């Protein structure tokens, strides 16, 4: 297990990650929709959890969930439409600063 942690830097592939999907409501108004989405994901055997707005700003919660393979954001429009926004985590580039110039 230590080798896997070292190899992946804690950012495990989705099949191995303890939490596969982080659901992030933009505000408390979307909490119910976020909870319902996480519940439906759990019914599909996805390990999902909701990160409520009282844990900080949306940006702070996105950064805190940076090791989670997938993130879904539930905003006002998405909640009204019954959709979510988001996708897979971003991979850190391996290029050095000199290579990007």
């Amino acid at each position: 297990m230590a080798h896997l942690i070292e190899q992946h830097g804690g950012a495990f592939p989705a099949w191995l990650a303890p939490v596969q999907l982080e659901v992030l409501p933009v505000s408390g108004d979307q909490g119910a929709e976020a909870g319902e989405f996480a519940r439906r994901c759990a019914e599909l055997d996805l390990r999902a959890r909701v990160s409520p707005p009282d844990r900080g700003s949306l940006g702070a919660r996105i950064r805190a969930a940076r090791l989670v393979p997938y993130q879904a954001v539930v905003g006002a429009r998405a909640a009204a439409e019954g959709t979510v926004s988001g996708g897979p985590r971003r991979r850190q580039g391996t290029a050095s600063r000199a290579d990007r110039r």
Side-chain angles (χ1 to χ4, degrees):
M1 190 65 170
H3 175 72
L4 287 172
I5 293 170
E6 185 69 28
Q7 180 75 25
H8 295 286
F12 297 117
W15 62 270
L16 185 59
V19 175
Q20 296 171 316
L21 173 69
E22 189 82 26
V23 183
L24 305 153
V26 173
S27 70
D29 297 337
Q30 293 86 37
E33 290 85 357
E36 175 63 20
F37 180 70
R39 185 190 62 75
R40 286 186 292 167
C41 290
E43 288 175 356
L44 297 171
D45 293 327
L46 292 172
R47 296 180 297 274
R49 105 180 137 197
V50 177
S51 181
D54 62 358
R55 290 193 179 159
S57 69
L58 180 60
R61 290 181 285 142
I62 289 172
R63 284 188 301 277
R66 70 187 178 280
L67 300 179
V68 177
Y70 296 95
Q71 298 175 0
V73 178
V74 182
R77 184 176 59 188
E81 295 172 355
T83 62
V84 298
S85 300
R89 69 175 162 239
R90 294 184 184 162
R91 293 190 170 249
Q92 296 296 323
T94 57
S96 68
R97 191 174 283 173
D99 292 339
R100 289 185 242 151
R101 291 184 188 162

